[in-house]
Amino acid sequence: DAEKKIEKRREVAQADFNAWLPTADPKLFSGKLPKDNPVLRAFLNESKTNSVKVNVRGEKRVVTLATNVTAQSGILASRAFVTSGATTPRIDDAGDFEKDQKFSFGAWVYLAKGRDGALFSRMDDTNAFRGWDFWIEGGKPGTHIVSKWPEDALKVVANKPIPEKRWTHVFITYDGSAKASGVKIYIDGEGQGVSVASDNLKNTTRTTIPFKIGQRNTTSPIDAAGIQDLRIYERVLNPAEIQSLSRDARTAYLLAKKPERRNEKDKEELYKSWLANFDPEFQEASKALAVVEKEGADIKARATIAHIMKERETVPEAHILFRGEYSKPKDKVTPETPAALPPMPAEFPRDRLGFAKWLLLPEHPLTTRVTVNRFWQEIFGTGIVRTTGDLGLSGEMPSHPELLDWMAVEFRESGWDMKKFFKLMVTSATYRQAATVTPEKLAKDESNRLFSRGPRFRMDAEMVRDYALASSGLLVEKIGGPSVKPYQPEGVWEAVAMIGSNTRDYKQDSGESLYRRSLYTFWKRAAPPALMDIFNAPSRETCTVRRERTNTPLQALATLNDPQFVEAARNLAEHAIKEAKEEERLNFMARRLLSRPLERNEQKIVAGVLKDLMAHYKAEGKEAEALIAVGESKADATLDKPTLAAYTMVANQLMNMDEVLNK
């Protein structure tokens, strides 16, 4: 709406502008320019002469050249100076600044094409490039301020190039700080983002060589570049002053033109300037637009940036390569699905959206089969098709093809409901079988491909940790939120981190972040969580359809000694002591860990272990205190320390039973 108001005023204000224009005074705009005179000004509007006029600290001079000036159409005058190796103006006493002096410099610039070179400078390129320059690098404006290049210098270049074949106002300021941050670059009055190539200025930048236009002292000429109204100030101009030099000087020049010499482009520029400076309605509408634009920018600044992929507007294509050589393309090919599978409907777009729709067609034979086969593997340890990453010709045949088909249809018809499907599997008679192996079952079904017994395999890394936390009562069940950093051995990140990296040092979290589900653990791919790595969690460098399962002493050492497991055991012991009678404490822990009470022979063994541990910790009080102090959470101070330590070790041993760590 604000933009529409501006556009509407722009359309109807022409009559008011036409009434203002005949009486407009150029001083309305020239009066806004900086009041003080620059220490050097070269207007550079000469044509067909072998000299240029300059003003140095108020003194008018004529600089003689070797040959006549090359000129082109100007921006503030009808003609403008064009740089050339044959016409290089030289001013001996201009532009000599020390590193701690403030100064500003710039000009109107016309570049036929992006190139490198110095528009003007006072730089001794035969003496480590001491001095400074107004530099163009690939069409981008910048500056060097140098004592000795490159080790004692500043170099700052704008990120944005000067538009080609158009007059552009460029100005640079330096605050005398000897820091790259003290350099500001403006294009057409607008501040620019910059790149810093050097920021190490320490010593003097004064030099005895002259100031030159169009090159450094002896090198880096920039030919065929238009320059007009070159200015150097001995102070830092503020953004409003630089904007005035860019806009008001041009407007004043156009107003000074005789009306009959103004073309349509000139009139359009004057109209825009009048609207911005003298029309109250347009100014109010512009202020209103600025307010809502700022609100919009503030909203975006508060929001999360989400990077998304976008389809290419052109149709992607590829070629069959002769003998696989990329330099020898043959027949052109376009996106299509394999002929062995159902064809993609003609109305589907030939892009990622169309491909996704095709994958979910009811007649597609693979998508749901592959999906439910991986779910089955998660629950039973092995998929109905053992090669879960390959259901093609090179993979194994399914052990129960009809079951696979039925599950695929059931999953699809249920609306792809994963929770419902997993509930279906874990409540099935097949899953609820005992894992007991009999000689008969071993003879007929050695690998359990006929599912004659329940699955038995070690749980995944995340499940091992989460089960310990859940059974002890420590698990924080909050869903969502940022990643967390639980217990981890010292030095894991530091061993591989780069200097300056934001993951150089591992800073352990505290509070509930130590007990979140393993799903939320922060993952550094170069140094994954040690506990997860020990239990065969993938590195996440590549997609892993089926995890490896190993059985190593490191795994037992981790579940026996890792602070997370010791703390979980102590927390479980506390619950047992406080919530169960003494004769029921061992079964309390067993039910939390095994989902059953201890059998008589197990009860006898565990009770004997508890008796020995009780005697040990009553005799070794300091060991008991050290054990129950493991972990960030504090032990219940009202409980007897040797008793808590003994039950902690019993809980720790129970947590390391195969029946606890395996399905």
Side-chain angles (χ1 to χ4, degrees), residues 9-30:
R9 181 56 188 165
R10 184 180 285 115
E11 291 173 358
V12 302
Q14 189 71 47
D16 293 339
F17 168 71
N18 292 338
W20 169 84
L21 185 57
T23 60
D25 189 340
K27 291 181 181 179
L28 289 170
F29 293 92
S30 60

Side-chain angles (χ1 to χ4, degrees), residues 192-206:
Q192 301 296 309
V194 299
S195 298
V196 177
S198 182
D199 188 8
N200 198 34
L201 181 60
K202 300 185 184 69
N203 297 297
T204 183
T205 57
R206 301 292 291 270

Side-chain angles (χ1 to χ4, degrees), residues 33 127 179 195 248 263 334 364 371 403 412:
L33 302 179
N127 180 25
K179 299 290 185 183
S195 298
D248 295 331
N263 57 33
T334 55
H364 198 293
T371 304
L403 174 61
R412 187 191 70 206

Side-chain angles (χ1 to χ4, degrees), residues 507-571:
K507 185 177 179 181
Q508 177 184 300
D509 281 336
S510 60
E512 69 172 22
S513 294
L514 291 173
Y515 315 112
R516 298 291 305 279
R517 291 169 60 199
S518 301
L519 170 71
Y520 299 108
T521 298
F522 187 97
W523 202 282
K524 180 181 173 78
R525 284 188 298 176
L531 181 66
M532 301 293 106
D533 192 37
I534 288 171
F535 281 93
N536 308 118
S539 67
R540 302 192 184 181
E541 294 284 346
T542 58
C543 175
T544 303
V545 176
R546 183 171 55 189
R547 295 187 179 191
E548 293 182 355
R549 283 194 175 88
T550 60
N551 189 9
T552 71
L554 277 178
Q555 294 165 357
L557 289 170
T559 51
L560 284 168
N561 301 297
D562 188 287
Q564 195 90 80
F565 290 91
V566 175
E567 184 181 21
R570 190 248 299 157
N571 204 67

Side-chain angles (χ1 to χ4, degrees), residues 100-121:
D100 56 0
Q101 283 184 266
K102 301 176 181 179
F103 63 102
S104 306
F105 55 91
W108 284 92
V109 179
Y110 185 99
L111 295 180
K113 61 179 179 179
R115 58 181 69 195
D116 294 0
L119 280 170
F120 53 83
S121 72

